[in-house]
Amino acid sequence: MKICSAAQIRELDAYTINHEPISSLELMERAAACFTRWLIQAYPDQQRPVHIFCGIGNNAGDGLVAARLLHHSGYDVRVHTCQISPNRSEDFEANLKRLPGHGAIGACPIAEGDPMPELPEEALVIDALFGSGLNRPVKGYWGDLLQHLNGLNVNRVAIDIPSGVYADQSTTGVAFHAHRTFAFELPKLAFLFPENAERVGQWTVRSIGLHPEAIAQAETSNYYLTEETACTLLRPRAKFSHKGTHGHALLIMGSYGKMGAALLAARGALRSGAGLVSLHVPKISYNIVQTALPEAMVSLDGHELQFTEVPQLDAYQAIGIGCGLGQGTLTQKALSQLIALADQPLVLDADALNIISTQPDLLKALPSQSILTPHPKEFERLFGPTPNHFKRHELQIRKAREHGVIIVLKGAHTCIALPNGRSYFNSTGNAGMATGGSGDVLAGIITGLLAQGYTPEAAALLGVFLHGLAGDCALQRESEESLIAGDIPDALGLAYQQLRKAGNRH
């Protein structure tokens, strides 16, 4: 699913109006009807009073249509028309006239300087004030109104985008804090960054029937990684395949006191479908691996406590390194040797990334299409701080292109930046996965997919999607609080099953 800018969405609207063809008023009706159907499902209690705050543009027009449709569905609706400017849009004026008369829908005009509206507790407040065309911070009286609404004990819903939030850049001013946001057709880039979490809340996107040709022609570098895309990446397993067919993954991970990370990664690699998995570990870890993970083979380092020497690499189709590795001097030298010797893409996580952050030349020496899986702090150590998440995203894309690598920046919507300039935000996963070891499992899954012959791009995209989906499957039997990293590889089988079933549907 494409992520388009606010300007591009307006172009999609215009294309649809001209080529469907359909009037702008009819398109507004269709969009607001889609929103209203969703709202009735989300808030079925018709006894709850609904207060819709409308500005002067087309976002406000959507709010007016929703007011009329909700009234016809039995809801008690009040419309607050905010006189932000005398320049009301034509479609707004048309829908204002369509509101049922004789007091059926309470109309409450608000002018600058008026007392702040008093609303009943637990009311449903719908934001249709400014929309996605906003290009400057909301200040003064209207900023105070947003702050007032944010402070009330009410349920807050935004149509398309919360007022005050910029769709394509960091928000600097006051914004409506929605509990839920309903977006038309495509998600906004702003929804995917943690700086907007309190503003956007839980968001939903539904198609309003914008012209498919227009969407296909829209150029963007940002995508939302959905089930439909992940299905196309998943490959079948041949009936007469064997363990050698599905590749041999080498995981160089673990050190004294940090073997748990290595085991979690190995479980991820095994459950991802790799035919063979070998762990290269210090001598002290031999019994741990053989006992805890009999499915894995062991390659022993010459050192008792840490990684110091690169094993023969010829037998392996994929190599992952870093989880629980440590950052000792000998380990740093061995990592440098591995990077010099490897002729296949590497998966680098945790301490491997921390070492590279202190030796920038190693980043330049990485094999092409290597996959880096940093969390935000590791990303900052590698590439430096940024003033906001939009700028960090730009930096991520730039560094992926500059170094010819894939950067998987972990988070609620893990973002995969490719060397071709494209980026994909993941749609699976949950807050229960914010626990130690979850990232180790991801590194193992991606390495296991690489070993099976997936391209680095496919391994990164599918690995991230499956990792999140496995976390969602695990949540069916755990809570967000109780979920631990080991639950994720245990649920990978369910994730694969779910994705294959989805592939049959698509």
Side-chain angles (χ1 to χ4, degrees):
M1 182 183 291
K2 290 182 176 179
I3 301 171
C4 292
S5 68
Q8 285 178 307
I9 294 294
R10 289 192 289 274
E11 292 172 2
L12 297 181
D13 288 344
Y15 188 100
T16 302
I17 290 167
N18 292 328
H19 291 79
E20 185 169 332
I22 186 175
S23 71
S24 61
L25 201 60
E26 289 169 332
L27 183 59
M28 182 176 289
E29 188 82 14
R30 192 161 76 191
C34 184
F35 164 75
T36 303
R37 287 192 297 271
W38 167 83
L39 190 81
I40 290 172
Q41 286 185 334
Y43 298 93
D45 182 8
Q46 295 180 0
Q47 303 307 309
R48 173 180 291 180
V50 179
H51 291 258
I52 304 179
F53 286 79
C54 298
I56 58 171
N58 286 347
N59 186 245
D62 295 326
L64 293 175
V65 177
R68 170 165 42 86
L69 297 176
L70 286 169
H71 167 73
H72 291 321
S73 297
Y75 286 78
D76 177 20
V77 182
R78 296 287 182 274
V79 173
H80 302 261
T81 52
C82 300
Q83 300 171 31
I84 299 168
S85 161
N87 303 318
R88 292 174 166 179
S89 75
E90 291 183 8
D91 288 349
F92 172 89
E93 292 283 10
N95 278 304
L96 188 61
K97 294 175 182 176
R98 288 183 174 185
L99 290 180
H102 308 292
I105 293 180
C108 311
I110 300 178
E112 191 167 341
D114 284 351
M116 292 294 162
E118 295 184 9
L119 305 180
E121 286 195 2
E122 301 304 321
L124 181 58
V125 173
I126 298 177
D127 165 32
L129 277 164
F130 290 104
S132 61
L134 188 73
N135 56 16
R136 61 181 182 273
V138 180
K139 297 179 179 179
Y141 177 83
W142 304 111
D144 293 341
L145 175 61
L146 293 180
Q147 292 280 46
H148 172 70
L149 296 177
N150 291 340
L152 297 177
N153 184 25
V154 296
N155 287 267
R156 293 181 293 275
V157 175
I159 299 179
D160 201 37
I161 190 170
S163 289
V165 173
Y166 298 141
D168 309 311
Q169 59 182 310
S170 186
T171 296
T172 55
V174 177
F176 186 78
H177 285 198
H179 295 106
R180 297 190 183 189
T181 296
F182 182 92
F184 297 138
E185 198 67 46
L186 300 171
K188 311 288 191 292
L189 187 61
F191 296 176
L192 301 165
F193 297 132
E195 66 187 74
N196 288 320
E198 290 187 356
R199 299 163 177 146
V200 174
Q202 179 183 344
W203 60 271
T204 301
V205 60
R206 298 276 171 83
S207 174
I208 58 170
L210 295 185
H211 206 293
E213 287 183 6
I215 296 174
Q217 294 169 11
E219 294 184 1
T220 181
S221 59
N222 298 317
Y223 295 81
Y224 190 53
L225 179 58
T226 61
E227 179 183 79
E228 188 173 0
T229 300
C231 287
T232 65
L233 301 172
L234 189 59
R235 304 186 330 190
R237 287 168 77 96
K239 176 179 179 180
F240 292 101
S241 61
H242 51 79
K243 62 185 179 183
T245 308
H246 300 295
H248 194 166
L250 173 65
L251 301 178
I252 303 175
M253 299 179 178
S255 58
Y256 181 70
K258 298 180 180 179
M259 281 308 300
L263 294 174
L264 286 167
R267 289 176 62 196
L270 286 162
R271 291 290 188 185
S272 75
L276 296 166
V277 174
S278 288
L279 270 169
H280 183 82
V281 295
K283 289 181 178 179
I284 199 170
S285 307
Y286 177 76
N287 289 335
I288 296 174
V289 177
Q290 294 288 66
T291 303
L293 206 60
E295 298 89 349
M297 295 182 289
V298 178
S299 165
L300 278 181
D301 196 275
H303 198 281
E304 190 74 13
L305 305 177
Q306 60 183 309
F307 168 54
T308 63
E309 57 190 27
V310 179
Q312 287 292 324
L313 304 178
D314 298 344
Y316 307 107
Q317 283 71 53
I319 303 168
I321 183 168
C323 304
L325 194 68
Q327 301 177 53
T329 302
L330 295 176
T331 297
Q332 293 183 35
K333 291 180 179 179
L335 175 61
S336 299
Q337 292 170 1
L338 173 68
I339 292 172
L341 291 171
D343 57 7
Q344 66 264 67
L346 303 173
V347 179
L348 301 110
D349 187 42
D351 283 330
L353 299 176
N354 291 327
I355 291 171
I356 290 173
S357 69
T358 66
Q359 301 180 43
D361 287 344
L362 293 180
L363 185 60
K364 299 175 183 177
L366 288 175
S368 176
Q369 298 281 311
S370 288
I371 302 171
L372 286 63
T373 59
H375 59 55
K377 279 297 181 183
E378 289 164 347
F379 180 87
E380 186 174 311
R381 293 184 200 116
L382 282 165
F383 304 117
T386 52
N388 58 64
H389 295 90
F390 286 83
K391 293 298 183 183
R392 187 181 69 181
H393 178 57
E394 292 173 7
L395 180 63
Q396 180 188 0
I397 293 173
R398 187 164 70 249
K399 291 300 180 180
R401 297 191 74 152
E402 178 183 333
H403 297 288
V405 297
I406 297 170
I407 302 176
V408 177
L409 180 54
K410 293 177 285 194
H413 292 288
T414 293
C415 181
I416 305 102
L418 304 177
N420 62 10
R422 286 189 174 186
S423 72
Y424 292 80
F425 291 86
N426 190 37
S427 62
T428 58
N430 59 79
M433 300 174 70
T435 184
S438 179
D440 303 320
V441 176
L442 175 61
I445 292 172
I446 294 174
T447 307
L449 291 171
L450 269 180
Q452 294 171 70
Y454 284 89
T455 66
E457 176 180 328
L461 294 173
L462 184 58
V464 167
F465 188 90
L466 281 169
H467 178 256
L469 185 57
D472 291 338
C473 290
L475 200 60
Q476 296 174 17
R477 59 174 182 264
E478 298 292 341
S479 70
E480 290 184 343
E481 294 82 4
S482 68
L483 196 149
I484 59 174
D487 296 327
I488 300 171
D490 287 346
L492 261 177
L494 292 173
Y496 269 112
Q497 290 176 18
Q498 185 170 318
L499 193 56
R500 290 203 183 279
K501 289 179 182 177
N504 293 333
R505 291 197 304 272
H506 293 299

